[in-house]
Amino acid sequence: MYDVFGAKPVNTMGFSETADFRTFKDIGRFNEARSPMKAANFVQAKHGAVVAITPAEARKLQAHLAH
Protein backbone atom coordinates (compact mmCIF):
# COMPACT_ATOMS: atom_id res chain seq x y z
CA MET A 1 0.00 0.00 0.00
CA TYR A 2 1.31 3.47 -0.83
CA ASP A 3 0.06 7.06 -0.65
CA VAL A 4 -1.04 8.70 -3.90
CA PHE A 5 -0.83 12.35 -2.89
CA GLY A 6 -2.45 14.89 -5.16
CA ALA A 7 -4.70 12.39 -6.94
CA LYS A 8 -7.97 13.86 -8.12
CA PRO A 9 -10.69 14.04 -6.92
CA VAL A 10 -9.02 13.27 -3.54
CA ASN A 11 -5.81 11.80 -2.20
CA THR A 12 -6.00 8.03 -2.17
CA MET A 13 -4.01 4.88 -1.59
CA GLY A 14 -2.49 2.62 -4.25
CA PHE A 15 -1.96 -1.11 -3.88
CA SER A 16 0.47 -3.66 -5.25
CA GLU A 17 0.71 -7.40 -4.68
CA THR A 18 3.68 -9.74 -4.62
CA ALA A 19 4.44 -13.38 -3.97
CA ASP A 20 8.23 -13.02 -3.72
CA PHE A 21 8.87 -9.44 -2.49
CA ARG A 22 10.97 -8.92 -5.64
CA THR A 23 8.34 -8.39 -8.32
CA PHE A 24 5.17 -6.37 -7.76
CA LYS A 25 1.90 -6.07 -9.69
CA ASP A 26 -0.20 -2.91 -9.47
CA ILE A 27 -3.76 -3.77 -8.41
CA GLY A 28 -5.16 -0.23 -8.43
CA ARG A 29 -6.32 2.45 -6.02
CA PHE A 30 -9.12 2.67 -3.49
CA ASN A 31 -12.56 2.64 -5.13
CA GLU A 32 -11.33 2.63 -8.74
CA ALA A 33 -13.54 0.62 -11.06
CA ARG A 34 -10.75 -1.83 -11.95
CA SER A 35 -9.44 -2.19 -8.40
CA PRO A 36 -10.54 -4.86 -5.92
CA MET A 37 -9.73 -2.46 -3.06
CA LYS A 38 -12.99 -0.87 -1.89
CA ALA A 39 -13.78 1.31 1.11
CA ALA A 40 -16.10 -0.55 3.47
CA ASN A 41 -16.95 1.69 6.41
CA PHE A 42 -15.36 5.03 5.51
CA VAL A 43 -15.53 7.66 2.77
CA GLN A 44 -11.82 8.32 2.11
CA ALA A 45 -8.74 6.15 2.20
CA LYS A 46 -7.06 5.91 5.60
CA HIS A 47 -3.36 5.65 6.28
CA GLY A 48 -1.97 2.18 6.65
CA ALA A 49 0.66 0.96 9.06
CA VAL A 50 3.90 -0.96 8.85
CA VAL A 51 4.26 -3.76 11.37
CA ALA A 52 7.61 -5.34 12.15
CA ILE A 53 7.76 -9.13 12.17
CA THR A 54 10.37 -11.50 13.56
CA PRO A 55 12.48 -13.78 11.37
CA ALA A 56 10.42 -16.73 12.63
CA GLU A 57 7.18 -14.99 11.59
CA ALA A 58 8.69 -14.23 8.18
CA ARG A 59 9.53 -17.92 7.71
CA LYS A 60 5.94 -18.90 8.63
CA LEU A 61 4.56 -16.40 6.10
CA GLN A 62 6.94 -17.64 3.44
CA ALA A 63 5.94 -21.27 4.13
CA HIS A 64 2.26 -20.30 3.95
CA LEU A 65 2.75 -18.54 0.61
CA ALA A 66 4.53 -21.61 -0.79
CA HIS A 67 1.32 -23.63 -0.51
Side-chain angles (χ1 to χ4, degrees):
M1 179 173 59
Y2 54 91
D3 285 326
V4 184
F5 292 110
K8 300 297 181 197
V10 296
N11 293 339
T12 187
M13 304 299 278
F15 296 87
S16 295
E17 64 183 2
T18 184
D20 60 11
F21 291 97
R22 289 184 181 92
T23 56
F24 295 84
K25 176 184 170 192
D26 178 43
I27 58 173
R29 298 178 183 173
F30 256 130
N31 297 324
E32 282 184 329
R34 67 178 185 88
S35 174
M37 306 307 290
K38 306 295 182 201
N41 60 350
F42 49 88
V43 177
Q44 290 182 243
K46 304 296 182 191
H47 287 279
V50 175
V51 178
I53 61 173
T54 66
E57 291 169 326
R59 286 189 295 275
K60 286 182 182 180
L61 286 169
Q62 192 171 27
H64 177 74
L65 291 173
H67 289 102

